[in-house]
Amino acid sequence: MITTQAMHDEYLESKLRVVLESLVEALLTEKPEDSQAFCMEWLARWYADHDPEQEELSKLRAERELLQVTRNKLYEQANALGLLNDEIDDGVEQEKIARMKDADRRAGVSAPAISEDRMKAWQKPYYEKSPEACGRIKSVIDKNDKLNVLFGHLAESAVFDVIDAMKPVSVEIGSDLIVQGDEGDNFYIVDEGSFDIFVKRGDAPPGKVLECGPGAMFGELALMYNAPRAATVTATSPGKVWALDRESFQMMLATAENMKKSQYEEFLSNIELFQHMTKYEIAQLSDLLESELYDTNEDIMKQGDEGVAFYILEDGEAKAYISGEQGEVEVKHYQTPGDFFGEVALITNAPRRATVRAVGGGCTVLVVTVDDFDKVLGPIRDVLEKNIDKYPRYADLIRAS
């Protein structure tokens, strides 16, 4: 005999769990002053936007931090193996890096260990595809919020490496591509055919929640860790999917992070103000860099504003302008990755001397705030004052500060 409590539990599980989990997540993220008004507005938006995939999307958002932890651990493992900086051979600096790696280690999803031998032996998979097939896969990645969580930080070339690694898999009608509860290690994008998605809740029989066709995707959590499948996907016609396995994704992720880290450290090493820094300090500074995108004609910093950050050009173009009696005059064109500006803010908080604006097709810059820099590495002016003769370009600013 079904008890009242059991009926209540079943109702909460099948009808309210997804909504309540998502609402609580939103409250904890936003921390609104007026929580009641926030809840009413949020529920109205949720109702308007809700579709059969909302439960899976909400779960992905709730897992987002864990996915990022896994990505960071892959980087830490590569760093620990010396894969991010083969030049470091000083014992003291290696000890510092080991301490940095172990500090702030947080509990979360465990990534599989990546040994140096495994990195060297691994061969990047390649499955030939037509340009049209590559374009379809790229379009799915670009337009899907879930995939932006996984692939959004990768450079364009790295995204195409991921596409190249996707294996074509034929699926017969009536066969289950994935089964709810099973441990999965592959992610799929549908290229041809149709599929039904079933979800089993509690003791109730599986219910169909969605029909999907070309362009649909499922199983993305399997790329990061051994997550039990959240649904069963059954082919309702002969089909073909593109499959990406977890090992290939994680190895390519580690490779991409390694390349990006090395590039950032090279940028920083070429900046005069940082010539005194050790490799350990350069590695710390590179971890502070955040990538920001600016559209054409958008100001990155403005003449007269307080200097609170400095910038390194990662991609695209920017120009510096000074306004005076003759109006706005162009004084500098930044177009080479690694070009930098705004570094004077690290020495003095004097107003910006120029406006720097994105041009051409826009640009991406790496930015670190003065506050973050000082918290991690200490005020740079203290070091510069002791070695002022080495920095003639900034000597007057150093003395004035």
Side-chain angles (χ1 to χ4, degrees), residues 21-58:
E21 284 183 353
S22 302
L23 176 57
V24 170
E25 179 189 350
L27 284 166
L28 293 176
T29 301
E30 301 293 337
K31 297 181 178 63
E33 291 289 337
D34 189 342
S35 58
Q36 292 182 351
F38 178 87
C39 288
M40 288 189 291
E41 292 175 3
W42 186 94
L43 287 168
R45 290 196 304 270
W46 189 92
Y47 181 78
D49 297 338
H50 184 61
D51 60 43
E53 291 185 303
Q54 183 65 31
E55 180 177 0
E56 187 180 0
L57 181 57
S58 298

Side-chain angles (χ1 to χ4, degrees), residues 274-315:
F274 307 143
Q275 295 297 311
H276 67 280
M277 288 186 177
T278 66
K279 291 175 181 177
Y280 165 71
E281 289 171 330
I282 289 291
Q284 278 191 309
L285 182 54
S286 72
D287 287 338
L288 295 176
L289 295 174
E290 296 287 342
S291 185
E292 294 183 356
L293 177 66
Y294 288 86
D295 294 327
T296 304
N297 294 324
E298 184 177 1
D299 289 341
I300 302 169
M301 66 182 206
K302 291 185 178 182
Q303 182 176 342
D305 285 356
E306 180 184 357
V308 295
F310 84 93
Y311 305 87
I312 301 173
L313 184 70
E314 184 176 20
D315 185 53

Side-chain angles (χ1 to χ4, degrees), residues 6 10 35 64 70 91 103 114 184-185 230 293 327 333 348:
E10 173 62 22
S35 58
R64 186 171 184 169
T70 302
I114 299 179
D185 59 1
L293 177 66
H333 189 182
T348 174

